[in-house]
């Protein structure tokens, strides 16, 4: 399990560094500010494509090999960034970075959902938060010292290369091949589940709803991360420094919330854990709508802690809801769908807030929480009746 946690740190390391490094990158490469948007969009598309297509690759090669190759791709891409002489070189390196991230995300999530308890799934996603925190910190140290963003990327690439080596050693020790007790106990059940793929799988109402639930959840999480600062600064007139601390508090709350959820996840059902999270999300998002600055910090904490168990629990519940034989492909669609939120939903939120009012941002976040709660409980009600 230590190797798996390290792998998710490697997944989180590059996810949040572009924004921190970009001012120095674009200055040294003579690029316009908006060029970062093209890189981000290409990364998202490649990651989503990789997630959608990873089911077949995982089935043929196994999780260990796919994760090892994908981690190597990510490390190589990060090192390539550090050598970039132009914007086109950055785009070229973005391709393996996105492809590697999508395969790692899908492969590890499915592997842990099958072989480990809900506790480890929540803790796994906390380790992604550690990587997401360390990445910008490393870049900041290099940029603040000498503006050397290339050195920051090389350091992160070196860390990911080391983690890839550890994954390779774990494959040679057959740590990815052991069959879990959970798999053995559900083997007979899985034989009775019909294998489906592609459109035949997505056409199932509950499968389609489960895929839709992921971009809706990400719309809440990324909606806070991307648009809430604009709402608080321009809509409520708050200081930029205070707003930055508030947004950071949201992500810290998610990380701590997942650590806490992991402690209790084995003692209560996944559905109860998710309902508790959804209730906290609703309370927190509703408090955001209220024009009361004294409620901002508690609302952000409640929203972050509420978000914490949702994504890990939905992933962990997939084999139970749809059967292990189909869960690998479904997980790929779910993870891929979550990445598409940044391309399809977030730009619409920004457009509505600019054309209508900034008040659209907290209202939309709250509406997405309600919609997510409706879909999650609809799926579970349908499955309980079968």
């Amino acid at each position: 399990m230590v190797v798996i946690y390290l792998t998710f740190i490697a997944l989180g390391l590059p996810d949040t560094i572009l924004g921190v490094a970009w001012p120095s990158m674009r200055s040294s490469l003579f690029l316009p500010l908006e060029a970062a948007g093209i890189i981000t969009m290409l990364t998202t598309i490649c990651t989503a494509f990789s997630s959608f297509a990873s089911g077949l690759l995982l089935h043929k090669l196994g999780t260990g090999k796919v994760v090892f190759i994908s981690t190597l791709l990510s490390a190589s891409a990060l090192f390539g960034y550090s050598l970039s002489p132009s914007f086109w070189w950055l785009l070229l390196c973005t391709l393996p970075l996105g492809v590697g991230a999508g395969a790692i995300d899908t492969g590890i999530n499915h592997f842990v959902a099958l072989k480990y308890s809900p506790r480890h799934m929540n803790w796994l996603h906390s380790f992604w938060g550690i990587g997401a925190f360390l990445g910008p910190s490393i870049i900041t140290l290099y940029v603040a010292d000498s503006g050397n963003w290339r050195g920051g990327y090389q350091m992160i690439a070196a860390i990911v290369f080391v983690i890839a080596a550890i994954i390779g050693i774990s494959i040679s020790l057959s740590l990815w091949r052991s069959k879990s007790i959970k798999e053995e106990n559900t083997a007979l059940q899985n034989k009775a589940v019909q294998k489906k793929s592609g459109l035949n799988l997505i056409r199932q109402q509950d499968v389609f709803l489960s895929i839709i639930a992921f971009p809706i959840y990400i719309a809440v999480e990324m909606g806070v991360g991307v648009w809430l600062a604009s709402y608080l600064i321009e809509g409520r007139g708050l200081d930029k420094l205070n707003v930055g601390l508030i947004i950071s508090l949201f992500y810290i709350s998610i990380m701590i919330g997942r650590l806490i959820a992991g402690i209790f996840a084995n003692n209560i059902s996944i559905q109860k854990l998710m309902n508790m999270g959804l209730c906290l999300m609703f309370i927190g998002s509703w408090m955001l709508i209220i024009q009361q600055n004294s409620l901002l910090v508690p609302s952000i904490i409640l929203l972050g802690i509420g978000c914490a168990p949702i994504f890990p629990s939905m992933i962990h519940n997939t084999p139970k809801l749809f059967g292990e034989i189909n869960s690998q492909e479904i997980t790929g669609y779910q993870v891929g769908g979550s990445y598409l939120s940044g391309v399809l939903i977030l730009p619409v939120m920004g457009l509505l807030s600019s054309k209508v009012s900034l008040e659209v941002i907290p209202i939309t976040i709250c509406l997405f929480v309600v919609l997510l709660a409706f879909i999650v409980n609809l799926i579970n009600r349908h499955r309980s009746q079968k």
Side-chain angles (χ1 to χ4, degrees):
M1 196 65 203
V2 173
V3 176
I4 294 173
Y5 286 155
L6 287 174
T7 303
F8 244 55
I9 290 177
L11 179 65
L13 277 169
D15 276 4
T16 51
I17 62 177
L18 180 63
V20 178
W22 186 245
S24 298
M25 290 175 70
R26 79 181 193 91
S27 176
S28 64
L29 297 175
F30 306 102
L31 299 174
L33 178 66
E34 61 271 19
I38 299 174
I39 296 175
T40 301
M41 183 170 291
L42 182 59
T43 303
T44 302
I45 292 172
C46 289
T47 305
F49 173 79
S50 175
S51 299
F52 285 130
S54 60
L56 180 61
L57 196 61
L58 288 164
H59 179 71
K60 287 188 174 183
L61 297 180
T63 304
K65 291 181 180 178
V66 171
V67 170
F68 172 66
I69 294 169
S70 299
T71 307
L72 277 180
L73 280 176
S74 297
S76 301
L78 290 168
F79 186 71
Y81 265 69
S82 74
L83 303 177
S84 294
S86 68
F87 179 65
W88 296 108
W89 185 280
L90 288 176
L91 292 183
L92 183 63
C93 292
T94 297
L95 299 177
L97 184 65
V99 169
I104 293 171
D105 207 353
T106 301
I108 293 294
N109 272 304
H110 183 258
F111 187 83
V112 174
L114 287 181
K115 295 181 178 292
Y116 295 96
S117 67
R119 170 176 297 165
H120 287 294
M121 180 64 83
N122 280 279
W123 286 347
L124 173 71
H125 285 265
S126 288
F127 275 80
W128 176 89
I130 293 173
F133 171 76
L134 288 176
S137 301
I138 293 171
I139 292 290
T140 299
L141 287 175
Y142 277 85
V143 171
D145 181 44
S146 58
N148 182 20
W149 64 270
R150 297 182 187 274
Y153 266 90
Q154 287 171 0
M155 175 58 72
I156 294 173
I159 295 172
V160 178
F161 271 124
V162 170
I163 294 175
I166 294 172
I167 296 170
I169 293 171
S170 72
I171 294 173
S172 67
L173 296 176
S174 301
L175 298 181
W176 297 84
R177 299 176 188 171
S178 59
K179 198 168 187 179
S180 67
I181 295 175
K182 180 181 176 181
E183 287 177 291
E184 293 171 354
N185 289 339
T186 57
L188 292 176
Q189 176 189 347
N190 290 327
K191 290 180 181 178
V193 179
Q194 184 182 0
K195 171 64 178 173
K196 296 182 180 180
S197 61
L199 289 177
N200 290 328
L201 199 56
I202 297 174
R203 284 195 188 105
Q204 295 183 65
Q205 182 184 19
D206 291 346
V207 173
F208 179 75
L209 287 174
S210 78
I211 296 170
I212 293 297
F214 280 79
I216 291 174
Y217 165 76
I218 295 297
V220 175
E221 185 179 310
M222 291 186 67
V224 172
V226 174
W227 295 122
L228 189 63
S230 298
Y231 165 68
L232 295 178
I233 293 170
E234 299 179 28
R236 294 201 187 181
L238 297 185
D239 179 76
K240 290 182 180 179
L241 178 60
N242 290 331
V243 170
L245 293 174
I246 289 172
I247 301 301
S248 297
L249 184 61
F250 173 68
Y251 289 107
I252 292 171
S253 298
I254 291 178
M255 187 170 68
I256 294 174
R258 284 172 177 167
L259 290 172
I260 296 172
I263 295 173
F264 299 102
N266 288 0
N267 300 319
I268 60 177
S269 69
I270 290 179
Q271 186 57 36
K272 287 183 179 178
L273 187 64
M274 290 180 66
N275 283 336
M276 291 169 59
L278 288 165
C279 285
L280 291 177
M281 288 174 70
F282 177 74
I283 295 171
S285 61
W286 178 255
M287 289 168 64
L288 276 179
I289 298 175
I290 302 173
Q291 294 286 336
Q292 190 72 37
N293 289 344
S294 61
L295 296 177
L296 273 177
V297 170
S299 67
I300 284 295
I301 292 175
L302 287 175
L303 188 55
I305 293 175
C307 283
I310 303 301
F311 193 99
S313 296
M314 290 195 298
I315 287 285
H316 199 275
N317 217 21
T318 297
K320 178 182 176 182
L321 290 176
F322 305 113
E324 179 187 331
I325 194 169
N326 291 315
S327 63
Q328 194 169 67
E329 189 168 349
I330 294 173
T331 300
Y333 296 149
Q334 291 170 337
V335 174
S338 70
Y339 283 105
L340 289 178
S341 181
V343 179
L344 301 177
I345 299 179
L346 290 182
V348 175
M349 289 179 65
L351 181 64
L352 286 174
S353 64
S354 66
K355 298 296 183 181
V356 181
S357 168
L358 285 169
E359 296 296 329
V360 166
I361 294 171
I363 293 172
T364 304
I365 290 172
C366 188
L367 289 175
F368 277 131
V369 172
V370 174
L371 181 57
L372 178 63
F374 174 77
I375 291 175
V376 166
N377 285 281
L378 181 63
I379 294 170
N380 283 280
R381 186 159 59 247
H382 284 176
R383 302 309 292 186
S384 64
Q385 293 173 356
K386 291 186 178 181

